[in-house]
Amino acid sequence: MNMHRTNDELLDKLYGIANVETENHLKTCAECASRWERLSMQRTRLESSPVVSDEFLAAQRRKIYARIEEKPPVWWHAMFSQKGFAAGLAALLVVAGGLAFFSTGQAPIQAPKTVVAESQMSDTQFFAEMASIEQSPLPQPAKPIKALFVQEQ
């Protein structure tokens, strides 16, 4: 039975690690050979470098130089040329950030209260239960599962 090759087997051939059976199959099967040709053409197309004209690169370089030589925007220059304004703005931002951080509207986190369980069994009952656990051949986690299979009489 001549089965078609999987995409993984064709990718193995694309990367040069195909087995002999795949190579022989591609010589005899037209469908797999056409899939192989499409795959190898896609790889060739993706490996080729894109064509970028020298004019495009020169125009891009001129735009970069023009932006480097531009003066900064007026508002930016005015804000930082007056040191008092910038310091006041920085102080205002620190205060606003502190208020936003500390005033979440939630109650403060409290430590959980310790609850002490009261013992309702005597020492004799406790030791009897411990002895029954120790003498049981069945592990403690398996007891609920065993209860599912016990037939009531």
Side-chain angles (χ1 to χ4, degrees):
M1 184 170 175
N2 193 7
M3 295 181 61
H4 294 294
R5 297 295 170 222
T6 65
N7 289 336
D8 288 339
E9 291 171 324
L10 293 177
L11 285 174
D12 287 347
K13 177 167 174 41
L14 189 67
Y15 290 110
I17 55 173
N19 56 21
V20 177
E21 292 85 19
T22 301
E23 295 284 344
N24 293 336
H25 179 79
L26 289 175
K27 292 176 185 174
T28 59
C29 179
E31 183 179 338
C32 291
S34 68
R35 286 177 43 224
W36 161 246
E37 286 299 320
R38 283 194 311 266
L39 193 62
S40 62
M41 284 191 303
Q42 283 179 341
R43 181 176 185 188
T44 304
R45 182 178 50 96
L46 291 175
E47 285 178 342
S48 65
S49 61
V51 178
V52 180
S53 67
D54 291 336
E55 294 82 25
F56 174 78
L57 293 174
Q60 190 176 33
R61 191 175 307 115
R62 283 191 296 271
K63 287 179 185 177
I64 291 171
Y65 288 147
R67 289 193 65 196
I68 289 173
E69 293 173 1
E70 285 180 2
K71 292 182 180 179
V74 176
W75 63 270
W76 182 262
H77 188 273
M79 182 186 299
F80 288 102
S81 66
Q82 301 170 355
K83 292 182 181 180
F85 178 74
L89 182 63
L92 181 65
L93 288 174
V94 168
V95 169
L99 288 174
F101 182 77
F102 287 111
S103 64
T104 59
Q106 297 177 352
I109 299 173
Q110 297 176 354
K113 295 181 181 179
T114 305
V115 178
V116 178
E118 294 182 21
S119 175
Q120 296 182 357
M121 77 170 51
S122 68
D123 288 342
T124 308
Q125 290 173 333
F126 174 74
F127 288 119
E129 187 175 329
M130 289 296 115
S132 69
I133 289 173
E134 286 295 318
Q135 294 172 0
S136 174
L138 191 63
Q140 186 69 20
K143 287 184 180 180
I145 297 171
K146 183 181 178 190
L148 294 173
F149 298 102
V150 172
Q151 296 177 355
E152 294 183 26
Q153 296 176 353

